[in-house]
């Protein structure tokens, strides 16, 4: 499931085509939140979007492709990669965006229903790692910029750092049922920032080993 704009050679359509695409993707979000993946059908999405089903099938030959594109577009719009100038600011902004996305009523329903779909649909299960790989590649820019500013050692694992930030948010959403809020996002971001700041740069470790 990737940012649509991140796919090599993929251009966003313009004009009426863009409006139809947006309507279909919004309709898919609504259907996925309300009915889940297994019950979602192209005909219902077309009805919700106010277009003919052939319009949908021309661009998305399968339900799995439609849902994948929908989730990438949602992430692109709702969870932008921040650039505040500091690691602390970026992690706080990212955590808040994730909370706003998955903590909303439709965001919770979509996340829960997609997780269930990984059990019933091979297509969804196969796409999920791709989606997260693409998302982590994008948000990895936060870590790369922090390394360039000297806030992090140059050998820090970007995926591990970002996963450490968003992991507790998904645990609350899907496992413990504890509330999600900006305050929680800020607290998690502070903890991750403090942990990252405590990491010794590799050059310092190497000098210590040679002493």
């Amino acid at each position: 499931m990737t940012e649509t704009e991140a796919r090599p050679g993929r251009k966003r359509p313009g004009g009426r085509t863009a409006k139809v695409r947006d309507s279909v993707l919004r309709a898919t979000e609504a259907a996925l939140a309300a009915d889940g993946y297994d019950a979602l059908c192209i005909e219902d999405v077309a009805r919700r979007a106010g277009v003919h089903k052939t319009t949908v099938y021309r661009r998305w030959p399968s339900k799995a492709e439609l849902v994948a594109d929908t989730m990438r577009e949602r992430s692109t719009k709702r969870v932008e990669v921040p650039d505040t100038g500091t690691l602390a600011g970026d992690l706080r902004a990212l955590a808040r965006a994730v909370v706003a996305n998955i903590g909303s009523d439709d965001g919770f329903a979509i996340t829960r229903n997609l997780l269930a779909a990984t059990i019933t649909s091979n297509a969804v299960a196969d796409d999920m790692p791709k989606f997260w790989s693409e998302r982590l590649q994008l948000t990895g820019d936060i870590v790369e910029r922090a390394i360039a500013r000297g806030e992090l050692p140059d050998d820090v694992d970007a995926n591990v750092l970002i996963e450490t930030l968003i992991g507790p948010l998904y645990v609350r959403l899907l496992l413990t049922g504890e509330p999600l809020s900006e305050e929680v996002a800020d607290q998690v971001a502070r903890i991750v920032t403090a942990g990252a700041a405590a990491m010794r740069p590799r050059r310092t470790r190497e000098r210590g080993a040679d002493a």
Side-chain angles (χ1 to χ4, degrees):
M1 303 186 221
T2 108
E3 311 300 344
T4 304
E5 64 184 11
R7 296 178 184 176
R10 184 71 173 271
K11 294 184 179 180
R12 291 176 180 271
R16 181 179 181 280
T17 300
K19 292 180 180 178
V20 169
R21 178 177 181 273
D22 287 344
S23 295
V24 171
L25 296 184
R26 286 197 304 270
T28 304
E29 282 190 39
L32 185 59
D35 305 321
Y37 179 83
D38 290 342
L40 186 149
C41 66
I42 298 296
E43 289 77 8
D44 179 50
V45 168
R47 179 186 59 78
R48 289 173 182 263
V51 300
H52 196 276
K53 65 180 180 181
T54 56
T55 300
V56 181
Y57 278 116
R58 272 199 301 268
R59 186 173 182 89
W60 300 277
S62 72
K63 178 171 71 172
E65 290 175 278
L66 175 59
V67 169
D69 206 8
T70 297
M71 297 315 300
R72 285 168 167 79
E73 182 72 5
R74 182 182 175 95
S75 293
T76 297
K77 291 182 176 180
R78 294 178 178 249
V79 189
E80 296 180 355
V81 180
D83 186 2
T84 66
T86 67
L87 177 63
D90 286 351
L91 294 182
R92 181 173 60 250
L94 181 61
R96 286 188 173 195
V98 170
V99 165
N101 182 31
I102 66 175
S104 62
D105 289 342
D106 66 328
F108 169 64
I110 289 171
T111 303
R112 178 192 59 196
N113 290 341
L114 275 180
L115 183 61
T118 62
I119 300 173
T120 61
S121 168
N122 289 334
V124 174
D126 289 344
D127 191 59
M128 193 68 74
K130 299 173 186 176
F131 171 79
W132 281 110
S133 176
E134 292 158 356
R135 285 301 305 172
L136 289 169
Q137 182 178 3
L138 289 170
T139 53
D141 286 349
I142 292 172
V143 178
E144 294 303 319
R145 290 195 300 262
I147 291 172
R149 290 191 297 262
E151 294 180 277
L152 290 172
D154 57 11
D155 59 345
V156 67
D157 189 313
N159 284 6
V160 169
L161 194 152
I162 298 299
E163 288 165 355
T164 303
L165 178 76
I166 65 176
L169 306 177
Y170 279 89
V171 166
R172 279 183 169 246
L173 183 80
L174 298 171
L175 299 180
T176 68
E178 295 178 89
L180 283 174
S181 64
E182 285 193 349
E183 290 74 17
V184 170
D186 291 351
Q187 183 176 12
V188 171
R190 284 195 300 270
I191 292 170
V192 175
T193 301
M199 299 174 67
R200 295 172 61 198
R202 183 171 63 183
R203 290 182 294 274
T204 301
R205 294 200 303 271
E206 290 172 347
R207 286 198 298 269
D210 294 339

